[in-house]
């Protein structure tokens, strides 16, 4: 049984005002080619198919075209909802896509057995049993209780998620007839390495789920973290990562999808399949004099059809109000587009001065909140509580978007 594990496509994303349409189209075409080349039996997409709950029409078109291509390939397809995905939107076409051998699990289902899926190989024979677990929202698992502290809610939620996994795993074992068991998930695990593009999931007040709480499945296909990695050094618990570079701190990172081979003995192998770079991106840093040399060098990584997108960090002792136009002038005529200009923070006094003059475009919402908290005198417990509550508000707003 051959499974292709991928996640975090974020269809419809705009990167600092730039559409990713062409990149996503190229990636999905490439992915279909891998399914055919490696004779994949099933494709698992572990959440965050779309970037928002209301994706643009072209993103939905990419999604539906991919579904049709995979159905023609002979492979089955399982699509799991992530924290960026709208349960209602994914539900719209769930029944229709079922006719194309596609299973869509937008959120926790009313009947848990709906999340137990037998995956067949290309010959139509059962090859694995899947515990199809999407992003789990607190309302899916818990009833809110007045008076519970943040820590109480976190522990209760962790226990509820662990129980959900165990319940599905036991049902899968009961019907697997000696087949390997695969589970999915869209969440942060303890020790996972994040990037700037990952919006932290604080499910209730749960910051990270311990790997030890997963059931003893043969393979666990995870999404949400954009850096491909093993969890806790375990070969069978993996994040596939995002196929596109979604923030500048991911530049230079080899993106991949995972080819998982299973037999009746369990997991046989996990092979990373490198994803091509569809849009060159780079980070350049230095003084204005140094950038005059480094920007042309970075521009050479662009292609005939795609200029390289740049993040430029300027190290200057003096505060320059015209920093953006100076950098743009240095990049004039180069095969590059400067999307972000930052100032390097050098030392406490320079950092304080810069913070007074920095613009909102240089900050994330979390950084703005941190700046405000820094003006208060709070103990460690209150700081943690406020950060967790703020993260819950952000997560709630993203769910409603």
């Amino acid at each position: 049984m051959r499974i292709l594990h991928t996640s975090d496509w974020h269809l419809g994303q705009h990167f600092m005002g730039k559409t990713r349409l062409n990149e996503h189209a190229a990636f999905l075409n490439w992915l279909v080619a891998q399914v055919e080349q490696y004779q994949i039996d099933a494709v698992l997409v572990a959440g965050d198919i779309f970037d928002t709950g209301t994706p643009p029409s072209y993103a939905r078109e990419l999604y539906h075209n991919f579904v049709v291509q995979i159905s023609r390939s002979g492979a089955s397809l399982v699509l799991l909802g992530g924290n960026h995905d709208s349960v209602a939107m994914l539900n719209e076409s769930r029944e229709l896509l079922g006719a194309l051998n596609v299973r869509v699990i937008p959120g926790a289902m009313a009947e848990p057995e709906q999340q137990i899926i037998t995956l067949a190989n290309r010959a139509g024979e059962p090859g694995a049993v899947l515990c199809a677990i999407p992003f789990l929202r607190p309302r899916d698992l818990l009833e809110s209780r007045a008076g519970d502290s943040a820590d109480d809610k976190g522990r209760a939620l962790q226990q509820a998620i662990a129980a959900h996994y165990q319940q599905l795993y036991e049902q899968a074992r009961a019907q697997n007839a000696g087949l390997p068991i695969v589970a999915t998930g869209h969440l942060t695990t303890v020790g996972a390495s994040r990037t700037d593009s990952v919006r932290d999931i604080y499910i209730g007040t749960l910051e990270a789920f311990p790997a030890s709480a997963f059931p003893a499945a043969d393979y666990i296909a995870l999404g949400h973290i954009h850096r491909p990695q093993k969890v806790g050094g375990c070969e069978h618990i993996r994040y596939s990562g995002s196929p596109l570079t979604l923030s500048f701190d991911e530049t230079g990172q080899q993106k991949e999808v995972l080819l998982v081979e299973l037999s009746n003995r369990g997991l046989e192998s996990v092979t990373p399949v490198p994803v091509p770079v569809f849009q060159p991106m780079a980070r350049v840093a230095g003084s204005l004099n140094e950038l005059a040399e480094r920007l042309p060098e970075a521009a050479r990584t662009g292609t005939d059809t795609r200029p390289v997108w740049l993040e430029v960090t300027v190290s200057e002792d003096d505060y320059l109000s015209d920093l953006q136009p100076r950098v743009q002038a240095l990049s004039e005529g180069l095969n590059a587009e400067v999307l972000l200009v930052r100032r390097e923070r050098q030392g406490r006094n320079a950092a304080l001065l810069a913070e007074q003059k920095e613009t909102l475009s240089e900050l994330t919402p979390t950084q703005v909140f941190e700046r405000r908290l820094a003006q208060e005198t709070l103990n460690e417990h209150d700081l943690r509580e406020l950060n967790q509550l703020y993260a819950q508000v952000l997560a709630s707003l993203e769910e409603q978007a």
Side-chain angles (χ1 to χ4, degrees):
M1 180 80 188
R2 287 186 167 187
I3 292 174
L4 203 60
H5 167 201
T6 178
S7 72
D8 296 276
W9 294 353
H10 290 269
L11 299 179
Q13 190 214 34
H14 274 71
F15 185 78
M16 298 186 181
K18 296 290 184 181
T19 180
R20 314 301 295 271
L21 170 59
N22 292 333
E23 293 172 79
H24 275 126
F27 163 69
L28 293 176
N29 288 334
W30 174 86
L31 191 62
V32 171
Q34 307 315 298
V35 170
E36 294 171 348
Q37 177 180 339
Y38 292 104
Q39 288 294 287
I40 299 298
D41 300 301
V43 178
L44 302 183
V45 187
D48 281 357
I49 299 162
F50 296 102
D51 192 55
T52 70
T54 54
S57 59
Y58 72 79
R60 297 181 187 224
E61 186 176 352
L62 287 174
Y63 169 74
H64 289 118
N65 286 344
F66 175 79
V67 166
V68 170
Q69 288 179 289
I70 289 297
S71 67
R72 289 172 178 167
S73 76
S76 57
L77 175 62
V78 181
L79 300 159
L80 289 303
N83 61 302
H84 284 246
D85 296 312
S86 162
V87 172
M89 198 228 86
L90 291 179
N91 254 328
E92 287 175 358
S93 56
R94 185 168 65 88
E95 292 295 330
L96 178 62
L97 298 187
L100 298 174
N101 195 27
V102 176
R103 301 294 293 271
V104 181
I105 310 294
M109 307 298 281
E111 301 298 329
E113 55 267 23
Q114 293 178 281
Q115 292 175 238
I116 304 295
I117 301 171
T118 299
L119 298 175
N121 60 25
R122 285 173 173 261
E125 303 162 339
V129 178
L130 177 68
C131 301
I133 301 174
F135 172 59
L136 298 172
R137 293 168 171 81
R139 62 175 177 266
D140 296 334
L141 305 175
L142 292 174
E143 292 184 6
S144 179
R145 296 185 303 179
D148 281 353
S149 69
D151 287 341
D152 290 337
K153 291 178 181 178
R155 280 191 293 271
L157 189 56
Q158 179 179 310
Q159 291 168 3
I161 293 174
H164 185 78
Y165 270 94
Q166 195 60 39
Q167 178 188 12
L168 292 180
Y169 176 72
E170 292 300 332
Q171 289 186 2
R173 282 187 63 190
Q175 69 180 58
N176 74 350
L179 297 174
I181 297 175
V182 177
T184 64
H186 190 89
L187 73 177
T188 303
T189 55
V190 175
S193 177
R194 311 176 193 184
T195 63
D196 287 347
S197 61
V198 174
R199 300 176 202 174
D200 289 337
I201 297 176
Y202 292 90
I203 318 173
T205 54
L206 177 66
E207 296 183 28
F209 187 73
S212 59
F214 285 119
D218 294 283
Y219 184 73
I220 300 177
L222 298 177
H224 177 57
I225 301 299
H226 296 168
R227 188 186 303 277
Q229 60 196 277
K230 301 175 187 177
V231 174
C234 297
E235 188 73 17
H236 73 294
I237 308 177
R238 300 266 195 145
Y239 286 100
S240 62
S242 60
L244 301 189
T245 299
L246 298 176
S247 66
F248 275 114
D249 75 325
E250 295 177 23
T251 56
Q253 185 185 113
Q254 177 59 67
K255 297 298 187 177
E256 59 191 43
V257 297
L258 298 173
L259 173 56
V260 181
E261 299 203 52
L262 299 152
S263 71
N264 288 342
R265 296 187 298 273
L267 180 65
E268 296 289 343
S269 65
V270 181
T271 306
V273 180
V275 177
V277 175
F278 301 108
Q279 170 61 58
M281 296 170 63
R283 308 174 93 178
V284 185
S287 66
L288 289 172
N289 287 336
E290 291 169 332
L291 289 173
E293 297 179 3
R294 293 174 184 173
L295 286 173
E297 188 177 312
R300 285 194 281 273
T301 63
T303 68
D304 292 341
T305 57
R306 295 180 188 267
V308 60
W309 290 348
L310 295 179
E311 175 197 80
V312 179
T313 302
V314 184
S315 56
E316 293 288 333
D317 291 334
D318 297 329
Y319 179 83
L320 301 172
S321 60
D322 60 345
L323 196 59
Q324 184 87 26
R326 287 194 186 204
V327 172
Q328 292 292 350
L330 288 174
S331 64
E332 195 71 34
L334 299 178
N335 190 26
E337 292 184 61
V338 177
L339 302 191
L340 180 63
V341 177
R342 296 181 183 273
R343 299 177 185 87
E344 184 179 33
R345 313 302 181 204
Q346 296 179 334
R348 176 179 169 80
N349 292 335
L352 289 173
L353 178 63
E355 284 179 16
Q356 292 171 6
K357 298 179 178 179
E358 65 193 352
T359 62
L360 284 176
S361 65
E362 296 179 83
L363 300 173
T364 65
T366 300
Q367 287 172 329
V368 173
F369 185 69
E370 289 170 350
R371 298 284 194 275
R372 181 64 185 85
L373 281 186
Q375 298 175 26
E376 302 294 330
T377 303
L378 299 168
N379 61 44
E380 185 176 341
H381 177 268
D382 289 343
L383 279 172
R384 184 159 60 87
E385 290 272 313
L386 284 170
N387 275 304
Q388 289 177 340
L389 289 169
Y390 177 71
Q392 290 178 56
V393 171
L394 278 185
S396 176
L397 288 173
E398 287 173 3
E399 285 182 30
Q400 296 171 20

